[in-house]
C-alpha cells in the first residue's frame, strides 16, 4: 500500500531531527514493497538525506550488512535490495569494531560504531528500515536510544498510516456499494410503474364496461383500489430511498498518496476516480448485464406494449398510431431488455403528450453501416418538445431539465435506463426535437432505437 504524504512528511521531520540535533551525515528511510507470495520483497527509499547519496545495488547486498541481521525473522529476505553505498561500513570509521553490534531493547537493534541500521517493526512485521550514519564521531548510548525512539515513532506512524488508508478504502468501497444499491432500487421502482400504470388503466376500462348491477364491478373496484395502494407504497418507498441518498455521509477526499516503487524514491500519484456504472434490473433475470444477445423479433416485443399503450391513450384522450411492417428482419438483442427500452420510450410519449395529441410508433426503419444493416424503431409524440439545452444531458440519471418544473411526475430514470440497455446490446439511440413527424407548429420529439440485424 503506498505511503501517504503525511507519513512522508513525518519521516522527513524525523530525518531532519537526526541531521540537525544529532549530526547525522546520512539518513535513509526504507519501506518494503507490498508482499507478494513467492516473490522476494524489496526495500524502497522514501526519504533520504542527502538525496543524491541513495544509489541502488541489487547484488550481494546482504554482505554489506552486519552478520547479526541474519538472526532477524524474515529480515534477510526483505533486505535484498538494500543500497550499497548507504550501508557499506568504512574501515576508517569503525576500525576493528566494524562487526560489533548490540541488541536494543526490542531485541532487533543492529548498531555499528558510526552506522546504525534499525528495522521498522510492529507486532513482528518488518515494514522497513532506518539507516543513519555519522562520520565525525561514534554514537554514544544516549544518542543510540534517541535513534531507537525515532525508529519506533516511524514504525507506529507507518502502521497507523496503513490502517488509515485501509479504513478509507473500505469506507469508499462501502459508499460505492451503497450507491449501486440505491441505483438498483431506483431502477426497480421505475420499472414497476409502467406495468402498474397499465394495470390501473385496464381496471378503469373494465369498470366502465360493466353495468351497475353487474356483480363483477366490486372485483374491478377492488383491483383499482389495490393498484392505488401499491402506487402510494411505491411513492413512499421512493421517498425513503431519496432520503437515504441525501443524508448519506460523504467521504473526504483521499490524501495525496506517495507511490513506493523501485523506479523512484518518492512520487506523488492521484487515485483515478472510479466509474461506477449502475447495474440494471430486468424481470426474471435479476441483476443486469444483458446476459445474452440472440435473434429477436421486434414485432413480438412491440405487440403487447402497443396493446397496453392503446388502452392508456384511450383513457387520456390520445391517438396512438402504430406502423409495424410484417416480416421485419430479426435483430440481435435481448428480448427482455428491448421490452424495457420500448416500454420506457412509449411511457414517456404517453406522459408528455397533451390531450388530443398523437403518438406514433414506427418500425422498419433501416440504416446501412460498413459492418452491416441496422433496424430502427421510432417513437414520436406531439408534446412540448425538448429544449436544446436539455438535449445534451437528456440521458443522465435523474436529470429532467425543464420538466422538473412542471406538474408531470417523473424520476429522470427512464431514458437513462433505456440508453444503458441499448448500449449493452451494441445498439444506438437517437433523439430529435422537433419530432421527425412534426407539423402545423407542433414540436414534439422522436426517439429512434437502432439495433444490428441478426
Amino acid at each position: 500500500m503506498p505511503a501517504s504524504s503525511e507519513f512522508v512528511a513525518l519521516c522527513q521531520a524525523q530525518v531532519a531531527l537526526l541531521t540537525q540535533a544529532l549530526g547525522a551525515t546520512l539518513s535513509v528511510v526504507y519501506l518494503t514493497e507490498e508482499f507478494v507470495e513467492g516473490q522476494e520483497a524489496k526495500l524502497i527509499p522514501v526519504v533520504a538525506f542527502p538525496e543524491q547519496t541513495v544509489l541502488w545495488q541489487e547484488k550481494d547486498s546482504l554482505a554489506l550488512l552486519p552478520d547479526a541481521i541474519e538472526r532477524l525473522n524474515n529480515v534477510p529476505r526483505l533486505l535484498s535490495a538494500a543500497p550499497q553505498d548507504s550501508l557499506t561500513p568504512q574501515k576508517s570509521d569503525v576500525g576493528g569494531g566494524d562487526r560489533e553490534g548490540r541488541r536494543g531493547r526490542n531485541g532487533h537493534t543492529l548498531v555499528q560504531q558510526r552506522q546504525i541500521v534499525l528495522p521498522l517493526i510492529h507486532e513482528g512485521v518488518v515494514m522497513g528500515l532506518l539507516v543513519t550514519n555519522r562520520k565525525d564521531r561514534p554514537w554514544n548510548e544516549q544518542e543510540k536510544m534517541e535513534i531507537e525512539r525515532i525508529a519506533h515513532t516511524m514504525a507506529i506512524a507507518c502502521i497507523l498510516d496503513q490502517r488509515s488508508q485501509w479504513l478509507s478504502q473500505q469506507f469508499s468501497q462501502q459508499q460505492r456499494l451503497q450507491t449501486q444499491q440505491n441505483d438498483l432500487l431506483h431502477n426497480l421502482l421505475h420499472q414497476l410503474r409502467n406495468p402498474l400504470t397499465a394495470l390501473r388503466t385496464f381496471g378503469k376500462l373494465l369498470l366502465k364496461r360493466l353495468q351497475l348491477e353487474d356483480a363483477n364491478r366490486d372485483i374491478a373496484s377492488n383491483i383499482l383500489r389495490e393498484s392505488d395502494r401499491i402506487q402510494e407504497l411505491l411513492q413512499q418507498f421512493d421517498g425513503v430511498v431519496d432520503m437515504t441518498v441525501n443524508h448519506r455521509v460523504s467521504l473526504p477526499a483521499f490524501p495525496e498518496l506517495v507511490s513506493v516503487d523501485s523506479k523512484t524514491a518518492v512520487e506523488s500519484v492521484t487515485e483515478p476516480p472510479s466509474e461506477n456504472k449502475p447495474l440494471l434490473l430486468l424481470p426474471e433475470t435479476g441483476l443486469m448485464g444483458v446476459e445474452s444477445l440472440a435473434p429477436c423479433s421486434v414485432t413480438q416485443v412491440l405487440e403487447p406494449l402497443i396493446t397496453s399503450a392503446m388502452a392508456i391513450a384511450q383513457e387520456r384522450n390520445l391517438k396512438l398510431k402504430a406502423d409495424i411492417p410484417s416480416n421485419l428482419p430479426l435483430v440481435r438483442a435481448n428480448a427482455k431488455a428491448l421490452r424495457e427500452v420500448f416500454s420506457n420510450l412509449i411511457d414517456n410519449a404517453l406522459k408528455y403528450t397533451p390531450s388530443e395529441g398523437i403518438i406514433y410508433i414506427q418500425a422498419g426503419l433501416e440504416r446501412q453501416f460498413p459492418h452491416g444493416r441496422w433496424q430502427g424503431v421510432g417513437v414520436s409524440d406531439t408534446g412540448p418538445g425538448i429544449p436544446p439545452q436539455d438535449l445534451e444531458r437528456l440521458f443522465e440519471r435523474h436529470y429532467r431539465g425543464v420538466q422538473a418544473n412542471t406538474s408531470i411526475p417523473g424520476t429522470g430514470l427512464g431514458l437513462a435506463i433505456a440508453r444503458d440497455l441499448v448500449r449493452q446490446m451494441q445498439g444506438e439511440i437517437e433523439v430529435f426535437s422537433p419530432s421527425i413527424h412534426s407539423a402545423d407548429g407542433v414540436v414534439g420529439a422522436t426517439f429512434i432505437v437502432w439495433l444490428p440485424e441478426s
Side-chain angles (χ1 to χ4, degrees):
M1 186 176 293
S4 69
S5 58
E6 287 83 357
F7 174 74
V8 172
L10 181 141
C11 291
Q12 290 171 339
Q14 297 300 305
V15 168
L17 178 62
L18 287 171
T19 303
Q20 298 170 10
L22 300 180
T25 56
L26 181 144
S27 298
V28 186
V29 179
Y30 300 93
L31 291 183
T32 57
E33 283 187 321
E34 185 174 354
F35 176 74
V36 178
E37 188 174 357
Q39 297 184 11
E40 193 174 66
K42 295 181 179 180
L43 288 170
I44 309 301
V46 293
V47 174
F49 176 85
E51 293 184 5
Q52 61 268 24
T53 63
V54 180
L55 299 175
W56 283 94
Q57 179 67 37
E58 296 285 346
K59 298 180 181 179
D60 302 326
S61 57
L62 288 179
L64 305 177
L65 298 175
D67 292 339
I69 198 168
E70 297 181 3
R71 294 196 295 268
L72 294 176
N73 181 30
N74 293 331
V75 172
R77 177 175 57 82
L78 296 177
L79 298 181
S80 62
Q84 180 176 359
D85 291 356
S86 64
L87 297 181
T88 303
Q90 302 297 325
K91 292 183 179 180
S92 59
D93 293 338
V94 298
D98 61 341
R99 286 298 184 186
E100 293 181 2
R102 74 177 183 89
R103 285 188 182 273
R105 292 166 297 173
N106 58 8
H108 296 296
T109 305
L110 303 173
V111 183
Q112 294 177 299
Q113 293 296 317
R114 300 186 181 184
Q115 178 170 276
I116 298 178
V117 181
L118 291 173
L120 306 181
I121 297 180
H122 180 77
E123 296 180 354
V125 177
V126 178
M127 298 172 289
L129 279 183
L130 168 63
V131 179
T132 187
N133 188 290
R134 186 168 64 183
K135 293 183 178 180
D136 58 345
R137 62 190 185 279
W139 304 99
N140 60 42
E141 291 301 318
Q142 184 177 356
E143 290 171 333
K144 294 172 185 176
M145 293 177 63
E146 183 64 27
I147 295 172
E148 288 182 4
R149 284 194 289 267
I150 290 175
H152 182 67
T153 298
M154 290 182 179
I156 295 297
C158 184
I159 195 66
L160 289 177
D161 181 57
Q162 292 182 3
R163 288 177 178 176
S164 175
Q165 292 186 47
W166 181 84
L167 289 173
S168 294
Q169 291 176 2
Q170 293 297 309
F171 186 36
S172 179
Q173 182 181 11
Q174 184 64 32
Q175 281 203 316
R176 289 193 293 268
L177 290 175
Q178 185 178 359
T179 298
Q180 275 197 339
Q181 290 174 349
N182 289 332
D183 287 340
L184 288 172
L185 288 174
H186 277 300
N187 289 356
L188 178 59
L189 290 172
H190 183 274
Q191 290 170 230
L192 282 173
R193 289 189 178 94
N194 290 345
L196 179 60
T197 300
L199 181 63
R200 295 178 69 246
T201 300
F202 285 131
K204 291 179 181 179
L205 292 176
L206 179 61
L207 192 60
K208 289 181 179 179
R209 295 181 181 181
L210 294 175
Q211 300 295 326
L212 292 176
E213 63 277 5
D214 197 318
N216 291 322
R217 284 186 63 86
D218 289 339
I219 297 177
S221 298
N222 290 336
I223 291 175
L224 286 177
R225 184 182 65 254
E226 295 305 320
S227 298
D228 291 338
R229 176 56 178 160
I230 293 175
Q231 189 172 45
E232 291 176 2
L233 292 174
L234 287 178
Q235 291 173 351
Q236 294 176 14
F237 191 22
D238 205 6
V240 171
V241 173
D242 288 337
M243 183 177 61
T244 303
V245 173
N246 294 334
H247 288 78
R248 186 176 59 196
V249 178
S250 61
L251 177 67
F254 274 105
E256 184 180 14
L257 299 182
V258 178
S259 175
V260 179
D261 57 38
S262 58
K263 296 182 180 179
T264 179
V266 177
E267 177 184 356
S268 295
V269 298
T270 55
E271 182 173 311
S274 60
E275 296 181 0
N276 295 317
K277 187 174 182 179
L279 296 172
L280 299 175
L281 284 170
L282 283 180
E284 303 175 6
T285 62
L287 296 182
M288 165 145 190
V290 177
E291 72 287 344
S292 62
L293 301 179
C296 177
S297 169
V298 172
T299 302
Q300 292 180 1
V301 172
L302 283 173
E303 281 179 349
L305 297 177
I306 291 175
T307 300
S308 298
M310 284 185 171
I312 297 173
Q314 178 182 351
E315 182 200 6
R316 299 180 183 179
N317 195 25
L318 302 174
K319 293 181 180 180
L320 190 147
K321 298 180 179 180
D323 182 6
I324 314 297
S326 59
N327 300 322
L328 283 175
L330 300 179
V331 296
R332 185 172 177 269
N334 178 287
K336 294 174 182 176
L338 194 56
R339 182 180 64 193
E340 292 300 324
V341 171
F342 292 145
S343 177
N344 284 332
L345 296 180
I346 294 172
D347 179 68
N348 274 0
L350 291 167
K351 183 162 52 178
Y352 292 110
T353 301
S355 178
E356 298 184 356
I358 301 174
I359 297 161
Y360 186 37
I361 302 173
Q362 181 182 15
L365 304 177
E366 294 184 349
R367 177 183 288 180
Q368 184 67 43
F369 286 91
H371 50 279
R373 185 182 296 275
W374 286 33
Q375 287 289 314
V377 177
V379 179
S380 303
D381 62 60
T382 56
I386 304 168
Q389 66 270 22
D390 286 345
L391 286 174
E392 292 184 0
R393 302 185 58 191
L394 195 62
F395 295 100
E396 292 182 12
R397 292 179 64 84
H398 301 292
Y399 180 78
R400 298 192 64 211
V402 297
Q403 297 301 331
N405 300 320
T406 67
S407 59
I408 302 175
T411 61
L413 286 173
L415 293 179
I417 292 173
R419 184 190 62 174
D420 287 343
L421 289 173
V422 170
R423 284 182 173 179
Q424 290 181 56
M425 292 185 289
Q426 289 86 54
E428 295 180 2
I429 184 169
E430 291 182 316
V431 56
F432 302 91
S433 186
S435 166
I436 60 176
H437 299 287
S438 63
D440 300 328
V442 176
V443 181
T446 297
F447 291 84
I448 301 180
V449 175
W450 294 101
L451 293 167
E453 291 185 4
S454 177

